Amino acid sequence: MIQENFIKVAMADLNVVHKKGILKTTGLGSCVGVTLYDPITKIAGMAHVMLPSSEIAKEGTLNIAKYADTAIPDMIDKMKALGASLQRMEAKMAGGAQMFAFSTGQSDTMRIGPRNTESCKGMLQKFAIPLKAEDTGGSYGRTIEFNCETGILLIRSVQNGIKEM
């Protein structure tokens, strides 16, 4: 049996890896798993984004990895510190589901999954990072694994089985 080198990314967490390893996060419902990758240096990063904007933060010490507007810039900085180039970075993402049905007229604050997706895309556009693939929306959870050597994002869900992007 082959022993895989998994690097766990918890909820409201991020991590980066160089050349070897598989970044993995579970429990993506309304959260979005964003991966960044420099295919030349084989430096990859993954963030498990819970909320769209740090402007709503109420905690004393800000958890940078929790919000799209702080997690993506921090991940870029960490990858650049390892030798990645912003100009070569490409993104893939999954999650952003609408896990609960709400009646018509509900406020925008209840659309957490779609808002997370929109915010992540906005941050990628801000840094001119192309979004190469995405599996977002729907009403089901996902687990994702990003292989640093191949650049392949594997998405697992009970409803749709396994997808490769």
Side-chain angles (χ1 to χ4, degrees), residues 64-82:
I64 290 171
K66 188 174 185 176
Y67 306 95
D69 67 331
T70 52
I72 292 171
D74 189 51
M75 185 167 41
I76 290 167
D77 289 343
K78 285 177 172 27
M79 289 175 65
K80 285 168 59 178
L82 290 175

Side-chain angles (χ1 to χ4, degrees), residues 97-146:
Q98 183 63 46
M99 298 302 289
F100 306 102
F102 295 101
S103 61
T104 311
Q106 287 287 84
S107 75
D108 194 49
T109 58
M110 302 312 286
R111 296 180 50 253
I112 296 169
R115 284 176 48 233
N116 281 341
T117 301
E118 292 159 13
S119 185
C120 288
K121 285 180 178 180
M123 289 307 298
L124 294 173
Q125 287 174 350
K126 178 180 176 180
F127 288 97
I129 298 172
L131 180 61
K132 294 292 190 178
E134 71 175 298
D135 181 30
T136 57
S139 58
Y140 56 91
R142 298 161 173 93
T143 292
I144 62 171
E145 299 171 7
F146 188 84

Side-chain angles (χ1 to χ4, degrees), residues 5-162:
N5 183 18
F6 284 107
I7 295 100
K8 184 171 173 34
V9 178
M11 186 181 292
D13 187 19
L14 66 86
N15 212 330
V16 296
V17 65
H18 187 209
K19 291 189 180 165
K20 292 204 181 282
I22 298 172
L23 292 160
K24 179 178 182 174
T25 194
T26 59
L28 291 172
S30 60
C31 296
V32 174
V34 180
T35 64
L36 297 179
Y37 186 57
D38 178 338
I40 302 301
T41 60
K42 300 214 181 288
I43 295 171
M46 179 184 285
H48 185 130
V49 173
M50 280 182 66
L51 294 167
S53 172
S54 60
E55 291 176 8
I56 62 171
K58 291 190 175 33
E59 63 260 34
T61 304
L62 181 69
N63 177 354
I64 290 171
K66 188 174 185 176
Y67 306 95
D69 67 331
T70 52
I72 292 171
D74 189 51
M75 185 167 41
I76 290 167
D77 289 343
K78 285 177 172 27
M79 289 175 65
K80 285 168 59 178
L82 290 175
S85 165
L86 179 61
Q87 288 72 32
R88 291 190 304 256
M89 285 185 199
E90 51 192 45
K92 294 180 182 178
M93 61 189 224
Q98 183 63 46
M99 298 302 289
F100 306 102
F102 295 101
S103 61
T104 311
Q106 287 287 84
S107 75
D108 194 49
T109 58
M110 302 312 286
R111 296 180 50 253
I112 296 169
R115 284 176 48 233
N116 281 341
T117 301
E118 292 159 13
S119 185
C120 288
K121 285 180 178 180
M123 289 307 298
L124 294 173
Q125 287 174 350
K126 178 180 176 180
F127 288 97
I129 298 172
L131 180 61
K132 294 292 190 178
E134 71 175 298
D135 181 30
T136 57
S139 58
Y140 56 91
R142 298 161 173 93
T143 292
I144 62 171
E145 299 171 7
F146 188 84
N147 187 314
C148 187
E149 291 180 75
T150 64
I152 293 173
L153 180 64
L154 199 68
I155 303 150
R156 299 176 196 272
S157 66
V158 173
Q159 289 77 358
N160 296 313
I162 299 173

